[in-house]
Amino acid sequence: RATTARLVVIGISNTINLPEKMSTRVQSRIGGDRCHFKSYNVQDTQTILKSRLGMLDDHPGHAVFEEDAIKFAARKTANLSGDIRKAFQMCKSAAEKVLEDYSTGKRKLTEGSRPLVKISDVQKGSRDMFTSIVHKAVSCSTSFEALLLISLGALKRTREDGSIFVKEILTKIESIADASGEPKYMNAHLSFEDVLRMANRLGEAGIIQLNIYS
């Protein structure tokens, strides 16, 4: 904030509450400007995947993935979070399973053909990956994160589009906590920042999807 400063520090994070994670001393010395980048859409993700796999027009080569397989991975990623790393992980998991099947003889190659990752392989890889991540994340959730998930489930049943704001989640958590009669929950007095921090953690784990509205 100093007008004579010659140093500018820019923080880049996949979370939406990076400043809040810093110590109070650091927070008081940084500016409040934030630049939110939009998640990758289907076309962006598809182009990036094809570029890495050498499937673009200006990078000719043998196609390892079916066109539909790439489209599925792009749509799935864009609909969930837009995190390109998920698309890479999905494709990597599918390719490794296909290679394993051919190596062990579960699949046979016809004469003159090469291994090809099909849409069914990516779909199975997606299901396995998502199930594994969710089970692990939920099992490692704190009691208050579990309370947040219960509140989300209750709110989602009343919404057609599934959009729920953090303030609404906080209100629902307080309502469920009071109704439970559990002193641990009733005396917690969670703040907006507490709920945002938990939601962000669950979002990073792929359990819920977070969107920023300006």
Side-chain angles (χ1 to χ4, degrees):
R1 292 181 180 178
T3 57
T4 58
R6 294 186 177 183
L7 176 66
V8 176
V9 178
I10 300 175
I12 301 177
S13 173
N14 285 321
T15 64
I16 60 177
N17 63 337
L18 176 62
E20 287 75 18
K21 288 185 174 182
M22 300 177 178
S23 66
T24 306
R25 183 178 179 183
V26 175
Q27 288 185 42
S28 65
R29 287 166 170 76
I30 62 175
D33 295 335
R34 302 193 194 196
C35 179
H36 299 301
F37 294 93
K38 291 183 179 180
S39 302
Y40 289 116
N41 58 31
V42 177
Q43 187 57 50
D44 294 334
T45 306
Q46 199 170 321
T47 301
I48 294 171
L49 287 174
K50 285 186 173 183
S51 175
R52 291 292 185 91
L53 294 169
M55 294 174 62
L56 290 179
D57 294 337
D58 55 345
H59 291 87
H62 172 68
V64 179
F65 283 75
E66 273 186 346
E67 183 74 20
D68 286 343
I70 295 296
K71 289 180 179 178
F72 174 83
R75 284 196 302 269
K76 186 75 173 178
T77 303
N79 291 335
L80 286 177
S81 64
D83 188 343
I84 193 66
R85 294 172 299 178
K86 294 289 191 298
F88 286 136
Q89 187 177 354
M90 200 182 304
C91 291
K92 180 174 181 287
S93 176
E96 288 176 343
K97 185 66 174 67
V98 169
L99 180 61
E100 180 185 338
D101 286 350
Y102 280 114
S103 300
T104 56
K106 290 182 179 179
R107 299 193 196 187
K108 303 292 183 180
L109 286 173
T110 58
E111 188 176 350
S113 65
R114 297 183 182 182
L116 185 67
V117 181
K118 301 181 179 180
I119 184 173
S120 57
D121 298 314
V122 178
Q123 288 173 331
K124 185 179 185 306
S126 171
R127 287 194 298 270
D128 294 345
M129 182 183 75
F130 184 73
T131 301
S132 174
I133 291 173
V134 171
H135 283 178
K136 184 176 181 180
V138 170
S139 64
C140 295
S141 296
T142 66
S143 55
F144 288 105
E145 288 172 344
L147 186 59
L148 186 151
L149 290 173
I150 293 172
S151 301
L152 271 176
L155 289 168
K156 191 173 182 181
R157 283 197 293 268
T158 64
R159 305 296 168 85
E160 292 184 1
D161 61 352
S163 297
I164 303 168
F165 294 94
V166 175
K167 191 173 182 180
E168 295 174 302
I169 300 173
L170 177 57
T171 302
K172 192 65 177 179
I173 287 176
E174 292 172 345
S175 173
I176 294 177
D178 290 340
S180 71
E182 286 284 341
K184 177 175 67 173
Y185 294 125
M186 296 175 66
N187 300 328
H189 304 299
L190 297 177
S191 65
F192 181 90
E193 288 71 23
D194 293 329
V195 176
L196 182 61
R197 188 159 45 247
M198 289 190 294
N200 196 70
R201 210 285 297 182
L202 294 171
E204 289 177 335
I207 300 176
I208 62 176
Q209 180 179 351
L210 300 178
N211 290 318
I212 301 171
Y213 297 94
S214 55

